[in-house]
Amino acid sequence: MFKRLKTKLIVVYSVALVCFISFLLIYSSSHIHKEFTVFLKNELQQSNDYINTYCLSFHKPINKQFFSYEIVTVLKNLSHKSSMHITIIQSDGTVLFDSDADFQMMENHSYRPEILQATKKGVGTAIRFSQTMKADMLYVAEYFDGYYISSAKSLDTVNALISSITKNILVAGIIILVLSIGVTFINSSTFTKPITESLQFINNFFDGDLNARIYNYKDDELGLLQKAMNRLADSIQQRINELSGEKNKLFMIIESIHDPIALIDENKKLSVYNGAFAHCFDLSNELVNKYYYTLIRHSDLNAKIHVSLLQKQKIIFEETINNKNFQIFIYPFQDPSSGVLLVMHDVTEQKRIQQLKSDLVGNLSHELKTPISIIRGYLETIKDNICDHQTTQQFLEHALLNVERQNAIINDMLKLNQLETSTYYLNETINVKDCISRCIDLLMPKIQKKNLTIAMELDSLPEKITGNDFLAEEIFFNIIDNAINYNNEGGSIAITASANTNALIIRIADTGIGIPPDEIPRIFERFYRVDKSRSRETGGTGLGLSIVKHAALILGWKIDVSSSMNGSTFSVSIPTYKV
Ligand code: ADP
């Protein structure tokens, strides 16, 4: 009804005050009435005694004849002076005298309450309305020797007194009430202010204003309570900060994981996810609180999540989603109201490497087996048939050639493995022109054998660049070696250098057989050869360009290939910042 404490205080206090004033009024008026009646009764009794002693006792018997003109005058004077109504009644109830009415007209008084009482006890009293006096009267009757004297006095005075006192108390009460309400209002405002402030603080705090505090508290109990509330807020804020710190760390950890991760609650809605998850399903915007099946567009995965949510069952399976292979884990939380954790481990690279490994093993064993079979063939022929010296010599040379080929394959494989596994290569100052010259010197016998002409235009190259001599030599040696191997007899090789804003470009162009355009992307793969017999003839391992690719990757260089019927051009780009 009254919700505010201040209103309650005012209402309770006012009601208490009204009750108190009402009680005071009732108590005081009844007390005054009672005391005054006692006082009046004594007065009337004394008056009765006086009348009996001084007016009647000497002239007995008392009968109608007794009330002579003189006696009546004395009694009426007495009645008038003392404002009393005097009645003298015979013992049978006949009225003998009445100070204010004609006694002969009056009825018998023997049944009047005060007379009946006086008959029994000697003295009787009664209060009632007098038709003769037209007022509330107090009657005191006393029995004397064969007659009653009844004196009565109007109670108007006492009633007037009581009503005047009541009025005064009422006025004083209303003034006190108004003043009290005012004082209570001020007091209750002072009392309730800290409570209102505290409530305001609690509301602000719960609405998220963690810095809200109560200031200016007093030294009383409420002040101590407010101080305690502030301390509580401090510790809650600290705890919240700690928790949000932990939460942020957790989010950072989840975000940094490359595998898609999502937490789906028991209402089938997404509650936590990472960037990889959004990326995997091509989602943007805020995903939290959305149904998982509206986000994940994969019926099998959705069905398994549904089963896991329903049966609280851990599910692990493999699935291809958007051309990627995932090993998917769905972990249900044991708490019945917590949903499932979805972790999608991307195994695409793993699978690719596995495939590469098995391809490599297949290729390598094939590559190594071929020369061994050839060697064995030659040796068995020599052993079984005693050939002439020249043929034996020829077979042994062929066998040796294959041994060398096998040796070359093993060497190139070791080199490739070294490039793939070593993460660190010394960054040194190298001279590319010298490096290319060294490669040509090494390959000169082959160049001469094939009658090739070499043209070099490398003057624009800077003296020093940052790189690694071993890796640079691997790149240029293999490219120039191929330019020789796949060149035509009497052909030429041109090695030129140019520069643009981003890079130095060294081009190695030959006039050889060229590479078909659709084969170009594959020539850097291990053991890939465009023309297998030609490669074998030239003693190629099929690994040269793979070595080039890896060495360039480590150095941050770029290799481009263009080819036509007239030959091929390999361009090596060295970024300018390396210069
Ligand atoms: P290989 O040891 O067989 O030369 P590479 O890895 O060096 O192996 O080269 C792969 C294949 O690319 C070669 O077998 C050849 O078919 C082709 N190739 C490389 N360079 C040239 C070139 N300059 N001209 C024509 N074909 C080339």
Side-chain angles (χ1 to χ4, degrees), residues 102-348:
D102 181 3
F103 68 92
Q104 283 172 338
M105 304 294 285
M106 295 177 95
E107 88 274 2
N108 189 294
H109 272 34
S110 54
Y111 293 107
R112 296 219 165 167
E114 67 274 15
I115 300 297
L116 286 172
Q117 250 185 58
T119 314
K120 278 187 196 159
K121 297 179 182 171
V123 179
T125 53
I127 294 172
R128 67 170 179 280
F129 186 77
S130 161
Q131 291 298 338
T132 316
M133 305 303 294
K134 302 285 180 221
D136 277 335
M137 305 285 285
L138 170 69
Y139 291 89
V140 176
E142 227 176 321
Y143 182 73
F144 293 100
D145 196 11
Y147 55 88
Y148 300 93
I149 300 173
S150 163
S151 297
K153 214 164 186 177
S154 163
L155 287 175
D156 278 357
T157 337
V158 69
N159 286 344
L161 184 72
I162 287 169
S163 102
S164 150
I165 289 171
T166 308
K167 227 185 259 171
N168 284 335
I169 290 177
L170 215 60
V171 170
I174 288 168
I175 292 168
I176 289 170
L177 190 68
V178 171
L179 285 176
S180 302
I181 288 174
V183 170
T184 313
F185 182 81
I186 296 164
N187 259 347
S188 61
S189 293
T190 324
F191 178 70
T192 56
K193 195 176 163 216
I195 298 174
T196 317
E197 279 173 358
S198 304
L199 278 175
Q200 182 72 41
F201 151 74
I202 291 170
N203 285 337
N204 289 345
F205 198 80
F206 278 114
D207 286 346
D209 181 6
L210 297 183
N211 293 319
R213 292 290 182 279
I214 307 167
Y215 301 103
N216 304 325
Y217 40 78
K218 294 193 180 126
D219 270 345
D220 54 12
E221 285 85 345
L222 276 176
L224 290 176
L225 185 70
Q226 288 178 318
K227 237 185 201 175
M229 280 167 143
N230 276 347
R231 279 213 307 277
L232 191 69
D234 284 345
S235 87
I236 290 175
Q237 189 181 21
Q238 195 191 343
R239 198 80 196 97
I240 288 175
N241 286 343
E242 279 170 18
L243 283 176
S244 64
E246 295 296 317
K247 198 176 153 192
N248 283 344
K249 273 186 212 162
L250 209 69
F251 274 129
M252 271 174 68
I253 292 169
I254 292 175
E255 196 55 46
S256 69
I257 295 172
H258 295 295
D259 290 337
I261 292 176
L263 216 125
I264 297 159
D265 66 20
E266 71 278 12
N267 299 318
K268 302 179 180 175
K269 287 181 177 175
L270 207 67
S271 54
V272 177
Y273 67 95
N274 64 355
F277 176 83
H279 182 72
C280 173
F281 294 102
D282 222 1
L283 299 163
S284 50
N285 305 330
E286 184 53 50
L287 312 178
V288 168
N289 260 340
K290 292 193 176 154
Y291 289 107
Y292 74 85
Y293 45 79
T294 62
L295 305 169
I296 300 172
R297 298 270 170 216
H298 197 283
S299 51
D300 273 4
L301 177 55
N302 282 342
K304 294 212 163 85
I305 293 172
H306 180 73
V307 169
S308 182
L309 271 170
L310 219 64
Q311 300 175 356
K312 301 266 156 235
Q313 185 188 329
K314 178 179 168 185
I315 301 176
I316 301 171
F317 61 106
E318 284 203 12
E319 194 65 71
T320 306
I321 297 171
N322 292 339
N323 296 324
K324 284 189 169 182
N325 299 98
F326 289 103
Q327 191 174 17
I328 300 175
F329 302 84
I330 307 173
Y331 299 107
F333 287 100
Q334 287 319 307
D335 182 349
S337 59
S338 297
V340 297
L341 172 70
L342 172 71
V343 180
M344 298 169 66
H345 184 39
D346 189 347
V347 291
T348 316

Side-chain angles (χ1 to χ4, degrees), residues 412 478-479 482-483 485-487 510 512-515 523-525 528-531 535 538-546 563 568 570:
D412 277 0
N478 280 298
I479 293 175
N482 282 345
N485 291 340
Y486 301 101
N487 217 323
D510 63 61
I513 56 168
I515 310 162
I523 57 173
F524 291 94
E525 288 176 18
Y528 191 82
R529 299 168 179 105
V530 179
D531 183 344
S535 169
T538 59
T541 59
L543 294 171
L545 288 183
S546 292
S563 189
S568 312
F570 282 74

